[in-house]
Amino acid sequence: MYNTERSEITHAIYDDAMTWTEERGERVEMIVDIYDCVDPANHQDLPSHTEKHHTLQHTGSVSVENRKHTAPVVCLCLLCFLLLTAVIVLYVCFTTERKQLLTHISNLTEEREQILTKYEQILNHNNNLTEEREQILTKYEQILNHNNNLTEEREQIKNKFEELQCGLYELDQRADNLKWIYYNFSFYYNSSKKKTWSDSRLYCQQKQADLVKINSREEQEFLRKVVGSDTFWIGLENSGEWKWTDGVKLANGYWSSGHPNSYGDCAKMSSTGWESHLCTNKEKWICERTICTYNKINPS
């Protein structure tokens, strides 16, 4: 009975050991040790079980070894797969970025060409403007030179006209040299007839002269000697105030005693000084004509 119970226990332990061996090969030796402790005398029955044990142990070892070798391979494959995936992703990203970069470079190249074209157009336009400016400056210089030439010709014509006029004056003076008296760059004409102040002035104007204008005491003394005991109209009248025929106001006068007065508005000269009389009175007159100074100004 004892043997029977021991045999059942042994078989139960052995079955459990087989189960553990199938699940994990490393526990086989532990099961065998337990079995020896339970029935140390029943070693004669162990050969078959030992063979089975060795077979199971060998199978478990092979399975463990296979698992040990399979895990690195799986990890390596997984790592290769990840690396391959990363390479593919990087390649796709690089290709996309490269295409974008090439497109951007192409756009920049086109913009550069457009900018260069516009720059050349602006440069050509600037050159054209520079040429036009030079042409305008050249024309302006030509016009300026022509204007200077015209001014010179005008001055020459004016000088020739003045020279001709001076010649006519000189001829007139030579033809009537007994009546024109020279003093201090002026010629004076003493009339022998009598006219009103207005008619006397008109006669002087017809001779390219005017009634005398006395500017200094020296000129006054010279004319006083010429006048002698006669009286002559001078170019001085009163139109609200005393003025010379050229419109200049009288500054210094050489009036006789009691003159000027309200009796007349035109002045005549006597040996004693100036006198105011009615302009309608008839008196002799003195014309003054400035000498031609052309040869003095342009000695050529």
Side-chain angles (χ1 to χ4, degrees), residues 173 180-188 222 289 291 296:
Q173 292 168 5
W180 287 93
I181 303 173
Y182 171 80
Y183 173 77
N184 196 20
F185 300 106
S186 293
F187 284 96
Y188 299 90
F222 166 74
R289 182 171 64 193
I291 191 172
K296 294 183 178 180

Side-chain angles (χ1 to χ4, degrees), residues 85-104:
T85 303
V87 168
I88 293 173
V89 172
L90 290 175
Y91 175 77
V92 172
C93 294
F94 174 77
T95 303
T96 304
E97 291 182 357
R98 180 176 177 275
K99 290 182 179 179
Q100 293 177 354
L101 182 60
L102 289 176
T103 303
H104 185 63

Side-chain angles (χ1 to χ4, degrees), residues 138 140-150:
T138 302
Y140 173 75
E141 290 178 356
Q142 292 176 353
I143 293 172
L144 187 63
N145 292 332
H146 183 65
N147 187 34
N148 293 333
N149 293 333
L150 290 177

Side-chain angles (χ1 to χ4, degrees), residues 65 91-92 106 156 185 195-196 200-201 204 225 235 257 276:
E65 291 296 328
Y91 175 77
V92 172
S106 178
Q156 292 175 0
F185 300 106
K195 295 178 179 293
T196 63
S200 299
R201 187 183 181 194
C204 293
K225 293 178 181 179
S257 178
S276 59

Side-chain angles (χ1 to χ4, degrees), residues 265-283:
D265 293 327
C266 292
K268 67 178 182 179
M269 181 179 179
S270 65
S271 59
T272 58
W274 302 349
E275 299 175 0
S276 59
H277 284 276
L278 292 175
C279 298
T280 55
N281 289 349
K282 292 185 177 181
E283 301 285 347

Side-chain angles (χ1 to χ4, degrees), residues 28-38:
V28 174
E29 294 178 357
M30 184 182 296
I31 295 171
V32 173
D33 291 337
I34 294 172
Y35 179 79
D36 290 338
C37 293
V38 173

